[in-house]
Amino acid sequence: MAQVIVIGGGYAGLASLISLAKKMPTLQLHLIDANQEHCKITNLHKTFAKPVADFKVPYARLAERFGFTFHQQRLQIDSNSLKRWQQQKKISLNDEELPFDWLIVSTGATSLFSPRGRQVYGLEHLIAGRGQALLELWRTRAEADQLVLSFVGGGATGLQILFELNTLLRQQNIDAGLRLIDMNNRTVPFLSESAHRYLVRKLRREGIAYLPETEFLEQTDTSIMLKECGSGRKYERESAATWLFAGVKRAPMSVPTNSCGQIEIEGDLLPDIFSAGDCSDYAGNGLNLLTAQAAIRKGKLVAHNIANLHANRTPRPYHYQEKGFLMSLGPIDAVGWVGLRCNLARGFPAHALKEAMESQYDLFLDGVDTYVGFP
Ligand SMILES: Cc1cc2nc3c(=O)[nH]c(=O)nc-3n(C[C@H](O)[C@H](O)[C@H](O)COP(=O)(O)OP(=O)(O)OC[C@H]3O[C@@H](n4cnc5c(N)ncnc54)[C@H](O)[C@@H]3O)c2cc1C
């Protein structure tokens, strides 16, 4: 019986596993992940209000639902291990050796800068479920003293979290000032200028200080050190804590693939090892951004191509094009585009659409695939 191993059970890895389980029920499927639970990262901004457990699904439950075997282990992955795995067609785990016919590497991305220092936080704190406890801490602080919180990074991740927290602070009458710091001269550069203007107006309306072209240097116990990008002038401002969302990079490395998703290391094709999701860098003209939308499509394509190879057919190249992008700006607002990039979507309808996209993924994990028409 043919055997497929997936390393990394995020959006891409699960899209591959679920598609393979449906297409080829006789395959033996294995998932190796460093954690015990799948985290629906695209909901992390909601974890100041809700427990992070609401957005995690144990791999044991998914394994039972889709008929794969789960192994919890963090694997060391680099060019040499990938070449060795292709040669040996097996992976050594702590307590066993797992042979494979096809292997999928879908290990995601990691923060460009990890938060260092006592009052500096990042995605890992939200994934670990610290959001609600921190909100409580700031509530107490704000009752005793003036509270200012700094956010670094004007990309989609930082802004989603900033506006969600801003709404909660208001709803709960926590008197806090918020500040957005960004080295760029505009927010979310991959969205249109009109989306940027919408965001800047909202920042102004909500009383959030916006410091573009400014570099974050350091957070101390009570203050933040900043540097103006143009003049190089350094200055200090009051700040109780800093949230660092300065971008992500493919992890543990950028994995180059051909247009069908098969890994190519320094020009050598590894025909039985595919990659999908944020870690993969696909050749060709398909959507190659670090988004869940691309991760799911790459994961599904790789499953389709393994089924093709199993049936002695040729694999298909990846041509998926982005259908839109929406970022949430608190519980009743969102901004982005749908259909055409010039088509600005905003406000409550955009937010409802964004939530519908989250529900579509929940359905997928329940076994109902509505990502129709692809590949
Ligand atoms: C706060 C936030 C909001 C976002 N919002 C959106 C959004 O609204 N829309 C959108 O399209 N995208 C969004 N994104 C991006 C989206 O979450 C990612 O593109 C998506 O998670 C990528 O899926 P993936 O499967 O490649 O990686 P991940 O979902 O990150 O999964 C990687 C998996 O690999 C495992 N792993 C990593 N290394 C190893 C190893 N060495 N050994 C074993 N296991 C390993 C990890 O434990 C993890 O389970 C958001 C990201 C963040 C952080």
Side-chain angles (χ1 to χ4, degrees), residues 7-13 32-35 41-42 44 59 73-75 77 106-109 123 157 160-161 276-279 290-293 295 325-326 354 358:
I7 308 175
Y11 291 75
I32 303 168
D33 198 285
N35 296 307
I41 302 178
T42 56
L44 275 183
Y59 286 121
Q73 190 172 323
R74 178 172 291 280
L75 288 174
I77 303 170
S106 47
T107 46
L123 279 180
T157 301
Q160 291 199 127
I161 295 169
D278 281 0
C279 66
L290 280 63
T291 65
Q293 185 180 171
F325 183 89
L326 291 168
K354 167 94 173 85
E358 296 301 344

Short mmCIF file of all heavy atoms in Angstrom, two decimals, residues 7-13 32-35 41-42 44 59 73-75 77 106-109 123 157 160-161 276-279 290-293 295 325-326 354 358, ligand 1:
data_model
loop_
_atom_site.label_atom_id
_atom_site.label_comp_id
_atom_site.label_asym_id
_atom_site.label_seq_id
_atom_site.Cartn_x
_atom_site.Cartn_y
_atom_site.Cartn_z
N ILE A 7 4.81 16.64 6.58
CA ILE A 7 5.49 17.28 7.72
C ILE A 7 4.90 18.68 7.86
O ILE A 7 5.11 19.54 7.01
CB ILE A 7 7.02 17.38 7.52
CG1 ILE A 7 7.61 16.02 7.16
CG2 ILE A 7 7.68 17.93 8.78
CD1 ILE A 7 9.10 16.08 6.84
N GLY A 8 4.17 18.92 8.95
CA GLY A 8 3.56 20.23 9.19
C GLY A 8 2.07 20.20 8.93
O GLY A 8 1.63 20.16 7.78
N GLY A 9 1.27 20.23 10.00
CA GLY A 9 -0.19 20.14 9.87
C GLY A 9 -0.87 21.49 9.98
O GLY A 9 -1.79 21.67 10.77
N GLY A 10 -0.42 22.47 9.18
CA GLY A 10 -1.12 23.75 9.12
C GLY A 10 -2.15 23.70 8.00
O GLY A 10 -2.65 22.63 7.63
N TYR A 11 -2.48 24.87 7.44
CA TYR A 11 -3.50 24.97 6.39
C TYR A 11 -3.12 24.11 5.18
O TYR A 11 -3.96 23.40 4.62
CB TYR A 11 -3.68 26.43 5.97
CG TYR A 11 -4.32 27.27 7.05
CD1 TYR A 11 -3.61 27.67 8.18
CD2 TYR A 11 -5.65 27.64 6.96
CE1 TYR A 11 -4.20 28.41 9.18
CE2 TYR A 11 -6.25 28.40 7.95
CZ TYR A 11 -5.52 28.77 9.07
OH TYR A 11 -6.12 29.51 10.06
N ALA A 12 -1.84 24.18 4.77
CA ALA A 12 -1.42 23.45 3.57
C ALA A 12 -1.36 21.95 3.83
O ALA A 12 -1.89 21.15 3.05
CB ALA A 12 -0.05 23.96 3.12
N GLY A 13 -0.71 21.56 4.94
CA GLY A 13 -0.54 20.13 5.23
C GLY A 13 -1.89 19.45 5.39
O GLY A 13 -2.11 18.35 4.87
N ILE A 32 3.35 14.44 10.62
CA ILE A 32 4.33 14.73 11.68
C ILE A 32 4.21 16.22 11.97
O ILE A 32 4.34 17.05 11.05
CB ILE A 32 5.77 14.42 11.20
CG1 ILE A 32 5.87 12.95 10.75
CG2 ILE A 32 6.77 14.71 12.30
CD1 ILE A 32 7.16 12.64 10.01
N ASP A 33 3.93 16.59 13.21
CA ASP A 33 3.89 18.01 13.56
C ASP A 33 4.55 18.20 14.93
O ASP A 33 4.49 17.33 15.79
CB ASP A 33 2.46 18.56 13.59
CG ASP A 33 2.43 20.09 13.52
OD1 ASP A 33 2.76 20.74 14.55
OD2 ASP A 33 2.14 20.64 12.44
N ALA A 34 5.15 19.39 15.09
CA ALA A 34 5.83 19.70 16.35
C ALA A 34 4.83 19.84 17.50
O ALA A 34 5.18 19.61 18.66
CB ALA A 34 6.61 21.00 16.17
N ASN A 35 3.59 20.21 17.19
CA ASN A 35 2.59 20.45 18.25
C ASN A 35 1.52 19.37 18.26
O ASN A 35 1.40 18.61 17.30
CB ASN A 35 1.93 21.81 18.02
CG ASN A 35 2.95 22.92 18.15
OD1 ASN A 35 3.66 23.01 19.15
ND2 ASN A 35 3.06 23.74 17.12
N ILE A 41 -4.55 29.90 12.65
CA ILE A 41 -3.81 31.14 12.89
C ILE A 41 -4.58 32.38 12.45
O ILE A 41 -4.44 33.46 13.03
CB ILE A 41 -2.46 31.10 12.15
CG1 ILE A 41 -1.64 29.90 12.59
CG2 ILE A 41 -1.65 32.36 12.38
CD1 ILE A 41 -0.32 29.77 11.85
N THR A 42 -5.39 32.24 11.40
CA THR A 42 -6.07 33.42 10.86
C THR A 42 -7.09 34.00 11.84
O THR A 42 -7.67 35.05 11.59
CB THR A 42 -6.77 33.08 9.53
OG1 THR A 42 -7.66 31.99 9.76
CG2 THR A 42 -5.79 32.69 8.45
N LEU A 44 -6.21 34.39 15.18
CA LEU A 44 -5.47 34.70 16.42
C LEU A 44 -5.84 36.06 17.01
O LEU A 44 -5.76 36.26 18.22
CB LEU A 44 -3.96 34.65 16.16
CG LEU A 44 -3.31 33.27 16.26
CD1 LEU A 44 -1.82 33.40 16.05
CD2 LEU A 44 -3.61 32.60 17.60
N TYR A 59 -4.78 17.19 16.78
CA TYR A 59 -4.48 16.35 15.62
C TYR A 59 -5.07 14.95 15.80
O TYR A 59 -5.44 14.30 14.83
CB TYR A 59 -2.97 16.27 15.38
CG TYR A 59 -2.40 17.55 14.80
CD1 TYR A 59 -1.40 18.25 15.46
CD2 TYR A 59 -2.87 18.05 13.59
CE1 TYR A 59 -0.89 19.42 14.93
CE2 TYR A 59 -2.36 19.23 13.06
CZ TYR A 59 -1.37 19.90 13.73
OH TYR A 59 -0.88 21.07 13.20
N GLN A 73 6.44 15.39 16.64
CA GLN A 73 7.90 15.57 16.66
C GLN A 73 8.29 16.78 15.82
O GLN A 73 7.67 17.03 14.78
CB GLN A 73 8.59 14.32 16.10
CG GLN A 73 10.10 14.35 16.33
CD GLN A 73 10.76 13.04 15.96
OE1 GLN A 73 10.21 11.97 16.18
NE2 GLN A 73 11.96 13.13 15.40
N ARG A 74 9.27 17.55 16.29
CA ARG A 74 9.82 18.63 15.46
C ARG A 74 11.01 18.07 14.69
O ARG A 74 11.96 17.58 15.30
CB ARG A 74 10.26 19.82 16.32
CG ARG A 74 10.90 20.94 15.51
CD ARG A 74 11.14 22.18 16.34
NE ARG A 74 9.90 22.84 16.71
CZ ARG A 74 9.20 23.65 15.90
NH1 ARG A 74 9.63 23.89 14.68
NH2 ARG A 74 8.09 24.19 16.33
N LEU A 75 10.98 18.11 13.37
CA LEU A 75 12.06 17.55 12.56
C LEU A 75 13.03 18.66 12.16
O LEU A 75 12.62 19.80 11.95
CB LEU A 75 11.50 16.91 11.30
CG LEU A 75 10.74 15.59 11.49
CD1 LEU A 75 10.13 15.15 10.16
CD2 LEU A 75 11.64 14.50 12.02
N ILE A 77 14.98 20.27 9.35
CA ILE A 77 14.85 20.23 7.88
C ILE A 77 15.83 21.21 7.25
O ILE A 77 15.84 22.39 7.61
CB ILE A 77 13.40 20.59 7.46
CG1 ILE A 77 12.41 19.63 8.13
CG2 ILE A 77 13.25 20.55 5.94
CD1 ILE A 77 10.96 20.04 7.98
N SER A 106 5.40 20.99 4.62
CA SER A 106 4.49 22.17 4.72
C SER A 106 4.64 22.77 6.12
O SER A 106 3.73 22.70 6.93
CB SER A 106 3.05 21.75 4.45
OG SER A 106 2.72 20.59 5.17
N THR A 107 5.82 23.31 6.37
CA THR A 107 6.17 23.75 7.72
C THR A 107 5.92 25.24 7.98
O THR A 107 6.28 25.76 9.03
CB THR A 107 7.65 23.42 8.02
OG1 THR A 107 8.42 23.81 6.89
CG2 THR A 107 7.84 21.93 8.26
N GLY A 108 5.30 25.95 7.03
CA GLY A 108 4.82 27.31 7.31
C GLY A 108 5.88 28.39 7.31
O GLY A 108 6.86 28.36 6.57
N ALA A 109 5.67 29.37 8.18
CA ALA A 109 6.54 30.56 8.24
C ALA A 109 6.79 30.90 9.70
O ALA A 109 6.11 30.39 10.59
CB ALA A 109 5.86 31.73 7.54
N LEU A 123 3.37 36.87 18.00
CA LEU A 123 2.41 35.81 17.67
C LEU A 123 2.49 34.63 18.64
O LEU A 123 1.48 34.05 19.01
CB LEU A 123 2.70 35.28 16.26
CG LEU A 123 2.16 36.11 15.12
CD1 LEU A 123 2.52 35.48 13.80
CD2 LEU A 123 0.65 36.26 15.26
N THR A 157 -1.34 41.43 9.54
CA THR A 157 -1.38 40.75 10.84
C THR A 157 -1.44 41.76 11.98
O THR A 157 -2.31 41.70 12.85
CB THR A 157 -0.13 39.86 11.00
OG1 THR A 157 -0.12 38.92 9.93
CG2 THR A 157 -0.12 39.13 12.32
N GLN A 160 -4.78 43.78 12.06
CA GLN A 160 -5.95 42.99 12.52
C GLN A 160 -5.95 42.92 14.05
O GLN A 160 -6.97 43.10 14.71
CB GLN A 160 -5.91 41.58 11.96
CG GLN A 160 -6.13 41.51 10.47
CD GLN A 160 -6.54 40.12 9.99
OE1 GLN A 160 -7.53 39.97 9.32
NE2 GLN A 160 -5.78 39.10 10.34
N ILE A 161 -4.77 42.69 14.61
CA ILE A 161 -4.66 42.53 16.06
C ILE A 161 -4.85 43.88 16.76
O ILE A 161 -5.55 43.99 17.77
CB ILE A 161 -3.32 41.84 16.41
CG1 ILE A 161 -3.35 40.41 15.83
CG2 ILE A 161 -3.07 41.81 17.91
CD1 ILE A 161 -2.04 39.69 15.83
N ALA A 276 4.32 22.62 0.12
CA ALA A 276 3.10 23.44 -0.03
C ALA A 276 3.04 24.41 1.14
O ALA A 276 3.66 24.19 2.18
CB ALA A 276 1.86 22.55 -0.04
N GLY A 277 2.29 25.51 0.96
CA GLY A 277 2.10 26.47 2.05
C GLY A 277 3.19 27.52 2.10
O GLY A 277 3.96 27.70 1.16
N ASP A 278 3.22 28.23 3.23
CA ASP A 278 4.11 29.39 3.36
C ASP A 278 5.58 29.07 3.11
O ASP A 278 6.34 29.90 2.62
CB ASP A 278 4.00 29.97 4.79
CG ASP A 278 2.75 30.82 4.97
OD1 ASP A 278 1.98 30.97 4.01
OD2 ASP A 278 2.56 31.33 6.10
N CYS A 279 6.03 27.86 3.48
CA CYS A 279 7.46 27.54 3.35
C CYS A 279 7.87 27.39 1.89
O CYS A 279 9.04 27.54 1.55
CB CYS A 279 7.83 26.28 4.14
SG CYS A 279 7.06 24.77 3.52
N LEU A 290 2.40 34.43 1.14
CA LEU A 290 2.31 33.69 2.41
C LEU A 290 0.92 33.93 3.01
O LEU A 290 0.76 34.67 3.98
CB LEU A 290 3.43 34.13 3.36
CG LEU A 290 4.81 33.49 3.10
CD1 LEU A 290 5.34 33.86 1.75
CD2 LEU A 290 5.79 33.86 4.17
N THR A 291 -0.09 33.31 2.39
CA THR A 291 -1.46 33.46 2.89
C THR A 291 -2.11 32.08 2.98
O THR A 291 -1.70 31.14 2.30
CB THR A 291 -2.33 34.32 1.94
OG1 THR A 291 -2.46 33.62 0.69
CG2 THR A 291 -1.74 35.68 1.70
N ALA A 292 -3.15 32.02 3.82
CA ALA A 292 -3.87 30.75 3.98
C ALA A 292 -4.52 30.36 2.65
O ALA A 292 -4.60 29.18 2.31
CB ALA A 292 -4.92 30.91 5.06
N GLN A 293 -5.00 31.37 1.91
CA GLN A 293 -5.63 31.11 0.62
C GLN A 293 -4.68 30.34 -0.31
O GLN A 293 -5.07 29.34 -0.92
CB GLN A 293 -6.01 32.47 -0.01
CG GLN A 293 -6.77 32.35 -1.28
CD GLN A 293 -7.13 33.72 -1.89
OE1 GLN A 293 -7.61 33.77 -3.00
NE2 GLN A 293 -6.92 34.80 -1.20
N ALA A 295 -1.93 28.71 0.70
CA ALA A 295 -1.51 27.46 1.36
C ALA A 295 -2.50 26.33 1.07
O ALA A 295 -2.11 25.22 0.73
CB ALA A 295 -1.38 27.70 2.87
N PHE A 325 -8.65 39.59 -1.15
CA PHE A 325 -7.98 39.54 0.16
C PHE A 325 -8.71 40.48 1.11
O PHE A 325 -8.98 41.64 0.77
CB PHE A 325 -6.51 39.97 0.05
CG PHE A 325 -5.79 39.86 1.37
CD1 PHE A 325 -5.16 38.68 1.73
CD2 PHE A 325 -5.79 40.93 2.28
CE1 PHE A 325 -4.53 38.56 2.96
CE2 PHE A 325 -5.16 40.81 3.51
CZ PHE A 325 -4.53 39.62 3.84
N LEU A 326 -9.07 39.98 2.27
CA LEU A 326 -9.78 40.81 3.24
C LEU A 326 -9.07 40.71 4.58
O LEU A 326 -8.68 39.63 5.00
CB LEU A 326 -11.22 40.30 3.40
CG LEU A 326 -12.13 40.52 2.18
CD1 LEU A 326 -13.41 39.74 2.33
CD2 LEU A 326 -12.42 42.01 1.99
N LYS A 354 -15.41 38.04 5.19
CA LYS A 354 -14.20 37.49 5.82
C LYS A 354 -14.58 36.36 6.78
O LYS A 354 -13.94 35.31 6.81
CB LYS A 354 -13.48 38.64 6.56
CG LYS A 354 -12.38 38.22 7.50
CD LYS A 354 -11.04 38.26 6.81
CE LYS A 354 -9.89 38.01 7.76
NZ LYS A 354 -9.59 36.63 7.97
N GLU A 358 -13.72 32.17 6.96
CA GLU A 358 -13.30 31.37 8.13
C GLU A 358 -14.22 30.15 8.28
O GLU A 358 -13.76 29.05 8.58
CB GLU A 358 -13.33 32.20 9.42
CG GLU A 358 -12.36 33.38 9.46
CD GLU A 358 -10.90 32.97 9.31
OE1 GLU A 358 -10.56 31.78 9.48
OE2 GLU A 358 -10.09 33.86 8.99
C1 LIG B 1 -2.41 36.62 12.90
C2 LIG B 1 -2.45 36.12 11.49
C3 LIG B 1 -3.57 36.36 10.71
C4 LIG B 1 -3.62 35.88 9.40
N1 LIG B 1 -4.73 36.14 8.68
C5 LIG B 1 -4.81 35.67 7.42
C6 LIG B 1 -5.98 35.88 6.64
O1 LIG B 1 -6.92 36.53 7.10
N2 LIG B 1 -6.04 35.35 5.40
C7 LIG B 1 -5.01 34.62 4.86
O2 LIG B 1 -5.11 34.14 3.72
N3 LIG B 1 -3.87 34.42 5.57
C8 LIG B 1 -3.75 34.91 6.83
N4 LIG B 1 -2.62 34.70 7.56
C9 LIG B 1 -1.54 33.89 6.97
C10 LIG B 1 -1.86 32.40 7.15
O3 LIG B 1 -2.12 32.13 8.50
C11 LIG B 1 -0.68 31.54 6.68
O4 LIG B 1 -0.44 31.86 5.33
C12 LIG B 1 -1.03 30.06 6.80
O5 LIG B 1 -1.11 29.70 8.17
C13 LIG B 1 0.05 29.21 6.13
O6 LIG B 1 -0.29 27.86 6.26
P1 LIG B 1 0.87 26.78 6.32
O7 LIG B 1 0.21 25.44 6.33
O8 LIG B 1 1.90 27.02 5.29
O9 LIG B 1 1.62 27.04 7.70
P2 LIG B 1 1.05 26.99 9.24
O10 LIG B 1 -0.42 27.15 9.26
O11 LIG B 1 1.90 27.96 9.94
O12 LIG B 1 1.42 25.52 9.69
C14 LIG B 1 2.74 25.05 9.77
C15 LIG B 1 2.73 23.79 10.64
O13 LIG B 1 4.02 23.17 10.56
C16 LIG B 1 4.43 22.76 11.85
N5 LIG B 1 5.90 22.74 11.84
C17 LIG B 1 6.72 23.78 11.58
N6 LIG B 1 8.01 23.37 11.60
C18 LIG B 1 7.99 22.06 11.85
C19 LIG B 1 9.01 21.06 11.99
N7 LIG B 1 10.30 21.38 11.84
N8 LIG B 1 8.65 19.79 12.29
C20 LIG B 1 7.34 19.46 12.44
N9 LIG B 1 6.33 20.37 12.32
C21 LIG B 1 6.65 21.64 12.02
C22 LIG B 1 3.84 23.80 12.79
O14 LIG B 1 3.69 23.29 14.11
C23 LIG B 1 2.47 24.09 12.12
O15 LIG B 1 1.46 23.23 12.60
C24 LIG B 1 -2.53 35.17 8.86
C25 LIG B 1 -1.40 34.93 9.64
C26 LIG B 1 -1.36 35.40 10.93
C27 LIG B 1 -0.13 35.13 11.73
#
